[in-house]
Amino acid sequence: MREQCRAFFDRNTGVGWIRRLTESPLYPAFFCLLVFMSFCSKVEVVFATVMIAVGAVTLVVARDLKPLIPPLFSAYFLVPLVHAPQRPTYSIYYTSPTVRVCIVVLMATLIVALIIHFWLWGGFVEMFTRKTRMTWFILPLAVALLLNGLFAEGYAPINIGFSLVTIFSWIILYLIFMFGLPHGKETVRYVANTCQWVAILLILELLYVYITQDVLEDGTIMEARILFGWGINNNFGAILTVMLPPLFYLAGTRRNGWIQFLLAVAAYAAIVASLCRAAILVGTVVFGVCLIALCVSGNNRGLYRVATLSVFFFLCVSAIFLRDELAELFSSLVTKGFSGEGRLELWKGGFRIFIENPIFGGGFNSVSYYDLFHSFAGGAMPGLCHNTVIELFCAAGAFGGISYLAYRARTAQLVVSHMTFDRFFLGMILFTLTAIGLLDNVMFNVYPMFFGSVALALIEGDYNETLSHLPVKEKKKLWKFSRA
């Protein structure tokens, strides 16, 4: 029956048209447009229904998971501020039985479509039967996460709950995309193009917030008013920073890449305007590194060298002649500076918990967290240290911390060994997430890891492709290094 269904879809002209549609550069723009319309309205369930319906149909008829990328990357941003479950509105919209039923039905539809896709086109069994180059690094990490807080004071089974969420976002998503996405330049460009439209979507949402929430007051940006239905300015800044490497990748590979270059400059300006200090700090590094990469490789190198000098000249002139105006505009940022805002105390407290529970840590929901975070121990969402490394040592002990560092070292090795242009920019996505994770909790939020998981899967695919074209002698050297 499965072969008959495959044959039917392959020869059906309507299915062929749908498949060609999903390959269009404007396919992601359709979803981003729906999301922006939802963000500006009060009926996001309607727009979500359209997105799920289109996504489910394309998921069933497509041979791979590429058509899932645009709705997956953009759907998170559809919640309007009026329905925000957190500040400033604290809306009860999502506690409504009708809305909850709609959400359950939509999620069930997507899951059924995913199951049908795996049954028709395969990939699910391979996730658990085939080894990848990350297998021996994700297994210890998964075990360490599951054992977090073992033997610590007040250990409770709920510790496993949050670790399962983390395993899903760090490991299961990676495996899904590893065996569900085709590997190669076309997929990398497809993902980068989707990120381009997501960046445009985020910039438009920030402009909408600035206009509707009166963010500018007497020439000063009011940080407390930069809020979205789906998060705060820190969430915005982190995600938009992740979009920088794909934008620079398109700038370096497209003939008219200057458009993406200007979009990257606009995205960086939006990051600064968000007043997210972690994003500004990491985004400045990422912007600079990617800019240098464009000046030494890729298309239009001469153009980008001139553009780089122009941007630098513009910033210098602005700093000299508009110093007072800029200081007033960003007075909130200047006043705060880059102080830790309690992070140092959290890091010291996390280290103390690690010393008290050195092997398996204090657990994500340990009693020790009550004193550290002044929150109820045992909640579904634990307090976090705003630093991924410290958090892993704190919650999962040396077992978890060392497993995470080994996992990160392996991903870095996959990026730098015989590095290609594509793999460099994919690696910069992981670098961005990891760097922001040293100052915030982005690595423990599921949504940003969609981008990280796709990037890691494509990095491994490009690594395997590069390895297949190396001389035998070079392969042996690389294999020895990989096994070590």
Side-chain angles (χ1 to χ4, degrees):
M1 180 180 178
R2 179 165 53 185
E3 293 301 327
Q4 292 174 332
C5 290
R6 286 179 179 177
F8 171 78
F9 285 140
D10 286 340
R11 65 172 179 263
N12 186 277
T13 55
V15 170
W17 180 82
I18 292 175
R19 288 176 175 175
R20 289 191 298 273
L21 181 66
T22 61
E23 293 290 336
S24 167
L26 295 178
Y27 180 67
F30 166 73
F31 287 100
C32 289
L33 177 61
L34 289 178
V35 169
F36 185 67
M37 292 169 64
S38 170
F39 181 77
C40 299
S41 72
K42 299 180 181 180
V43 288
E44 63 266 33
V45 171
V46 175
F47 291 100
T49 301
V50 176
M51 293 179 67
I52 293 292
V54 175
V57 171
T58 55
L59 192 58
V60 169
V61 302
R63 286 183 165 273
D64 52 60
L65 295 179
K66 275 173 63 176
L68 185 63
I69 297 297
L72 196 66
F73 278 14
S74 59
Y76 183 72
F77 310 113
L78 58 74
V79 181
L81 184 60
V82 69
H83 291 157
Q86 71 280 341
R87 63 186 174 97
T89 52
Y90 296 98
S91 172
I92 59 172
Y93 178 76
Y94 289 101
T95 64
S96 165
T98 303
V99 174
R100 287 188 171 183
V101 168
C102 290
I103 293 174
V104 170
V105 171
L106 291 176
M107 294 306 298
T109 302
L110 187 60
I111 293 172
V112 169
L114 191 61
I115 292 172
I116 294 174
H117 172 88
F118 281 130
W119 175 76
L120 269 176
W121 309 110
F124 183 79
V125 175
E126 289 83 351
M127 288 170 50
F128 303 100
T129 58
R130 286 179 55 186
K131 284 181 13 178
T132 72
R133 297 190 182 275
M134 294 295 299
T135 297
W136 298 115
F137 296 84
I138 60 178
L139 284 178
L141 182 60
V143 173
L145 288 170
L146 288 173
L147 296 180
N148 78 90
L150 191 64
F151 306 127
E153 179 188 3
Y155 176 82
I158 196 173
N159 280 20
I160 300 176
F162 188 71
S163 65
L164 288 175
V165 174
T166 306
I167 288 171
F168 171 77
S169 60
W170 289 8
I171 298 173
I172 302 300
L173 285 176
Y174 152 73
L175 292 174
I176 289 174
F177 294 122
M178 183 66 201
F179 295 104
L181 287 177
H183 300 151
K185 288 184 177 295
E186 290 303 317
T187 304
V188 176
R189 290 169 184 162
Y190 188 90
V191 170
N193 179 61
T194 302
C195 290
Q196 168 190 236
W197 288 106
V198 171
I200 294 173
L201 166 66
L202 289 172
I203 293 172
L204 290 175
E205 288 198 358
L206 182 66
L207 288 173
Y208 182 85
V209 168
Y210 260 68
I211 294 171
T212 59
Q213 301 303 312
D214 297 322
V215 173
L216 285 175
E217 183 177 290
D218 297 328
T220 301
I221 300 175
M222 310 302 292
E223 181 182 357
R225 298 178 188 175
I226 306 177
L227 299 170
F228 306 81
W230 46 268
I232 61 174
N233 65 316
N234 288 349
N235 304 113
F236 174 91
I239 294 294
L240 191 54
T241 305
V242 174
M243 299 300 105
L244 289 177
L247 290 174
F248 278 107
Y249 171 77
L250 292 176
T253 54
R254 288 186 173 178
R255 188 172 300 177
N256 58 345
W258 59 270
I259 297 175
Q260 283 70 37
F261 177 82
L262 293 178
L263 184 55
V265 173
Y268 179 73
I271 291 168
V272 175
S274 74
L275 300 187
C276 172
R277 293 171 302 156
I280 293 172
L281 184 62
V282 176
T284 301
V285 175
V286 171
F287 189 92
V289 171
C290 290
L291 198 55
I292 292 172
L294 283 192
C295 291
V296 299
S297 62
N299 296 333
N300 306 313
R301 291 190 293 273
L303 174 63
Y304 295 133
R305 289 167 186 167
V306 174
T308 300
L309 292 176
S310 301
V311 170
F312 181 74
F313 177 76
F314 173 78
L315 291 176
C316 290
V317 171
S318 300
I320 294 172
F321 293 101
L322 300 174
R323 181 177 56 187
D324 295 337
E325 290 80 358
L326 290 173
E328 183 178 357
L329 182 65
F330 296 102
S331 60
S332 174
L333 186 63
V334 173
T335 302
K336 283 187 176 181
F338 286 90
S339 61
E341 279 200 319
R343 282 173 172 78
L344 291 178
E345 287 70 23
L346 289 178
W347 296 348
K348 290 177 182 177
F351 182 72
R352 185 185 70 247
I353 293 176
F354 166 65
I355 294 299
E356 295 171 353
N357 306 275
I359 300 177
F360 297 111
F364 285 113
N365 295 88
S366 68
V367 172
S368 305
Y369 268 29
Y370 180 83
D371 297 327
L372 182 56
F373 296 101
H374 306 289
S375 60
F376 176 68
M381 182 65 183
L384 297 168
C385 291
H386 287 67
N387 182 296
T388 310
V389 177
I390 294 176
E391 180 64 42
L392 264 295
F393 276 98
C394 167
F399 188 13
I402 294 173
S403 296
Y404 174 76
L405 292 176
Y407 164 80
R408 272 288 158 249
R410 177 57 166 171
T411 59
Q413 186 259 317
L414 290 178
V415 172
V416 301
S417 292
H418 296 278
M419 187 165 57
T420 63
F421 190 80
D422 288 17
R423 205 158 2 115
F424 169 78
F425 285 99
L426 291 169
M428 287 302 296
I429 293 177
L430 291 185
F431 169 81
T432 304
L433 284 168
T434 304
I436 294 178
L438 296 178
L439 300 168
D440 214 328
N441 299 323
V442 64
M443 293 290 294
F444 293 96
N445 297 330
V446 175
Y447 184 74
M449 295 313 297
F450 285 130
F451 299 96
S453 299
V454 170
L456 181 55
L458 294 178
I459 285 169
E460 185 168 341
D462 185 82
Y463 178 89
N464 291 335
E465 179 69 15
T466 303
L467 190 62
S468 68
H469 291 93
L470 289 177
V472 175
K473 187 179 294 185
E474 289 296 318
K475 285 184 182 180
K476 290 181 178 179
K477 290 180 181 179
L478 193 57
W479 170 242
K480 288 179 181 179
F481 179 69
S482 297
R483 289 197 302 174

